[in-house]
Amino acid sequence: MQYSKEVEEMVCVKKGPHHGPAPIPEEGKWVKSKQITDISGLTHGVGWCAPQQGMCKLTLNVKDGIIEEALIETSGCSGMTHSAAMAGEAIVGKTLLEALNTDLVCDAINTAMRELFLQIAYGRTQTAFSENGLPIGAGLEDLGKGLRSQVGTIFSTNKKGVRYLELAEGYILEMGLDKNDEVIGYKFVRLGKMMEDIRNGVEPREAYQNNIGTYGRYDEAVKYIDPRKE
């Protein structure tokens, strides 16, 4: 190691007690993290690309410094879905440091990885106080029936008002309006559950009908509109 002349000429002052790093909460334990293998936890967060036209929600389950599970959800940019497919292969099995320095193709996914690294390294994880953390596969619990991301898509204009296109319950088929033309409910189809039924042999039309539901005071509406056409 090379030292400058000024440092070489300094008097050596001994330091006192060495307490090590402050402990962080990890899966029900207090850990003094000194190396990457000391890090465990499950957490999730959001990243965005430079023009902020798309976002990525990334969920990581880390055990002893290794990413054992990753859930990558993207929105707002068609190219991000393909980037997520590549990142899904690239990210698991790596240490947190390796993943942090891996090109995860999409800027939003890279940013999400950076944000999650900070959370995990500081012990700010969902499993900080959960003994032994969560099993591999726990990330899928964030998804609904049919393993489909929770999606919300709303469009509105000052002139024509709001249109619900997709909410947590599913794909919106109709909006119910009262006598003042205000939204009081909606009809939806659960896409994830419908596709699950079709894959299990239910006829598409029957699967569609079986997974239609309503929310709010839909039955009391005096007018129904298709939010995509009206």
Side-chain angles (χ1 to χ4, degrees):
M1 192 176 298
Q2 190 175 10
Y3 295 93
S4 68
K5 181 176 181 296
E6 290 79 7
V7 172
E8 288 286 5
E9 292 176 351
M10 287 180 180
V11 174
C12 183
V13 178
K14 296 290 181 68
K15 66 178 180 179
H18 177 65
H19 298 292
I24 61 173
E26 281 187 16
E27 301 193 339
K29 298 176 292 184
W30 290 97
V31 177
K32 289 192 173 185
S33 175
K34 298 180 181 179
Q35 53 192 5
I36 203 68
T37 53
D38 293 330
I39 301 293
S40 294
L42 181 142
T43 194
H44 38 225
V46 176
W48 54 94
C49 59
Q52 299 188 21
Q53 67 184 24
M55 55 74 64
C56 167
K57 179 191 173 189
L58 179 62
T59 303
L60 296 181
N61 199 345
V62 179
K63 302 291 185 185
D64 300 324
I66 304 295
I67 298 173
E68 296 288 352
E69 175 190 8
L71 172 64
I72 306 170
E73 302 173 83
T74 63
S75 175
C77 172
S78 57
M80 293 174 66
T81 59
H82 298 77
S83 299
M86 290 182 272
E89 294 187 26
I91 199 172
V92 291
K94 290 189 172 184
T95 69
L96 279 172
L97 282 179
E98 286 179 301
L100 192 64
N101 289 285
T102 296
D103 182 6
L104 298 175
V105 190
C106 168
D107 216 17
I109 305 175
N110 284 318
T111 304
M113 182 64 226
R114 180 193 71 197
E115 296 301 308
L116 262 64
F117 176 85
L118 293 174
Q119 293 181 33
I120 296 168
Y122 286 113
R124 271 64 169 177
T125 64
Q126 182 178 320
T127 54
F129 300 102
S130 302
E131 190 173 2
N132 298 321
L134 291 174
I136 310 305
L140 290 179
E141 294 179 6
D142 281 354
L143 305 179
K145 289 286 186 180
L147 299 183
R148 193 168 183 274
S149 296
Q150 301 297 311
V151 177
T153 307
I154 310 297
F155 177 75
S156 65
T157 61
N158 188 39
K159 184 176 182 179
K160 297 295 184 177
V162 72
R163 298 296 185 276
Y164 301 164
L165 301 177
E166 190 156 356
L167 296 173
E169 293 84 3
Y171 179 97
I172 307 302
L173 300 171
E174 286 183 340
M175 293 168 53
L177 310 181
D178 64 10
K179 62 182 181 180
N180 299 318
D181 287 336
E182 296 178 1
V183 185
I184 60 171
Y186 49 84
K187 181 165 70 172
F188 59 87
V189 58
R190 304 175 187 89
L191 288 183
K193 186 66 172 61
M194 182 184 76
M195 292 305 300
E196 199 172 67
D197 288 349
I198 292 173
R199 292 179 62 186
N200 289 330
V202 179
E203 286 298 314
R205 171 56 63 175
E206 182 183 353
Y208 171 76
Q209 295 293 342
N210 289 345
N211 285 288
I212 290 177
T214 63
Y215 183 84
R217 294 185 291 120
Y218 178 82
D219 292 336
E220 300 175 23
V222 299
K223 183 193 300 184
Y224 298 98
I225 65 168
D226 181 337
R228 290 171 172 79
K229 295 181 179 180
E230 297 177 81

